[in-house]
Amino acid sequence: MYLVFLGAPGAGKGTQAVAVSKQLGLTHLASGDLFRQAQTRGDELGRQVKSYIEKGLLVPDEITIKMIQEHLERFNPEQSFILDGFPRTLEQARALDKMLSQRQKAIDRAVYIEVSPDELTTRLTGRLTCRRCQAPYHRVNSPPRVQGRCDKCGGELYTRPDDAAETIKKRIEVYLEQTAPLMDYYRKAGKLLSVNGSQDIEKVTGDIVAALAVSPGRPRPTQPTEARVKSR
Ligand code: ADP
Ligand code: AMP
């Protein structure tokens, strides 16, 4: 199963991609995590992307597509994955389709996590991120067990510089302008699943897993689900 997770910054793509990949045994690949790791290493890619990320802008397609392509080429074609944060432009979506079609593969589902704009800001200003494994937490909604430390790897938690109020505003604008059109792209392809992301983290995960289970070609769940999930 090849999935992409769509949604505004702060919608919960990373949180859900970690949970769903664990439940379904998928590999989770997040473009934002890859860029931050490159910045931590201080390599050429990290230097190239720094100024875009700081300003809340998208990294140019050419750089982003090349990075994802290099990662996907290392995957076994039978390996199922979730792409989180990629694609973010139509050009990236088309490039992804092309990369996969060369392997006689295609994206199965695009999962859109829908959250109101007001809630996005609250989530992003309270977000804490693990410097080592990039796991997301929230000061109030999803705090770590030990203050300042990642539950998963013990890494230091920090506030991403691009989670500052002004940059959040820019990132949401960029999302509406450049990424929101992807919803239509995947809707027209009959691949869009829309999930209410303004619920408890566990409920959103349950809804996504249930929605994927009733997707064409997937086994139906044994229990009926109350999930407010619709295929747009
Ligand atoms: P994205 O990857 O879409 O930018 P994240 O998964 O990093 O979003 O989530 C953004 C912030 O919101 C994090 O602090 C996370 O802990 C919190 N969060 C994620 N999902 C929920 C939810 N369903 N309810 C409340 N807070 C959430
Ligand atoms: P994220 O961790 O998904 O919030 O991404 C953090 C930042 O990395 C974004 O604000 C962009 O600057 C950059 N980025 C991540 N993914 C992409 C992408 N697919 N295309 C362009 N820029 C990206």
Side-chain angles (χ1 to χ4, degrees):
M1 186 162 37
Y2 292 174
L3 305 175
V4 299
F5 277 18
L6 303 173
K13 299 181 296 298
T15 302
Q16 295 304 330
V18 169
V20 172
S21 59
K22 198 167 158 204
Q23 274 199 33
L24 301 182
L26 312 176
T27 299
H28 170 205
L29 194 64
S31 45
D33 291 356
L34 295 175
F35 286 141
R36 280 185 292 280
Q37 282 157 357
Q39 284 187 275
T40 304
R41 289 194 304 270
D43 63 14
E44 174 64 17
L45 177 64
R47 282 190 294 277
Q48 281 178 329
V49 303
K50 187 172 182 287
S51 67
Y52 299 102
I53 296 179
E54 276 173 359
K55 293 186 195 111
L57 301 174
L58 293 185
V59 172
D61 284 337
E62 198 191 342
I63 298 173
T64 308
I65 291 167
K66 182 164 172 273
M67 175 184 75
I68 293 293
Q69 180 148 25
E70 283 170 4
H71 276 81
L72 290 184
E73 275 166 5
R74 283 185 225 141
F75 283 9
N76 171 332
E78 298 319 312
Q79 194 173 344
S80 295
F81 60 73
I82 298 176
L83 289 177
D84 152 18
F86 182 93
R88 258 178 158 101
T89 64
L90 282 169
E91 187 168 341
Q92 291 178 16
R94 292 189 190 111
L96 175 62
D97 284 349
K98 198 164 156 206
M99 277 176 228
L100 295 177
S101 73
Q102 283 163 354
R103 308 168 123 202
Q104 283 80 50
K105 301 281 182 190
I107 290 297
D108 295 291
R109 285 286 176 190
V111 176
Y112 169 47
I113 305 174
E114 199 175 353
V115 170
S116 72
D118 285 353
E119 197 168 336
L120 295 174
T121 309
T122 316
R123 287 189 184 185
L124 291 174
T125 49
R127 175 159 66 183
L128 296 168
T129 304
C130 175
R131 236 183 242 291
R132 199 183 294 161
C133 76
Q134 307 290 329
Y137 295 84
H138 191 277
R139 287 177 208 282
V140 180
N141 303 340
S142 175
R145 282 195 291 270
V146 177
Q147 197 185 349
R149 289 283 150 201
C150 176
D151 294 351
K152 298 184 179 76
C153 75
E156 182 205 356
L157 301 184
Y158 78 116
T159 297
R160 280 170 42 178
D162 60 340
D163 281 342
E166 264 315 292
T167 322
I168 290 173
K169 201 164 155 253
K170 184 72 199 167
R171 284 161 63 208
I172 294 176
E173 273 169 33
V174 166
Y175 166 78
L176 292 173
E177 216 172 274
Q178 301 189 54
T179 308
L182 287 186
M183 245 70 81
D184 245 15
Y185 181 82
Y186 287 108
R187 188 183 291 119
K188 281 183 186 145
K191 295 183 177 178
L192 193 71
L193 286 175
S194 182
V195 174
N196 175 7
S198 299
Q199 312 178 87
D200 286 355
I201 293 176
E202 292 73 24
K203 178 75 168 81
V204 180
T205 309
D207 282 5
I208 295 174
V209 171
L212 292 171
V214 295
S215 292
R218 310 290 311 168
R220 291 194 149 266
T222 45
Q223 296 293 322
T225 171
E226 297 176 331
R228 185 204 149 258
V229 217
K230 57 183 186 224
S231 187
R232 294 194 176 195

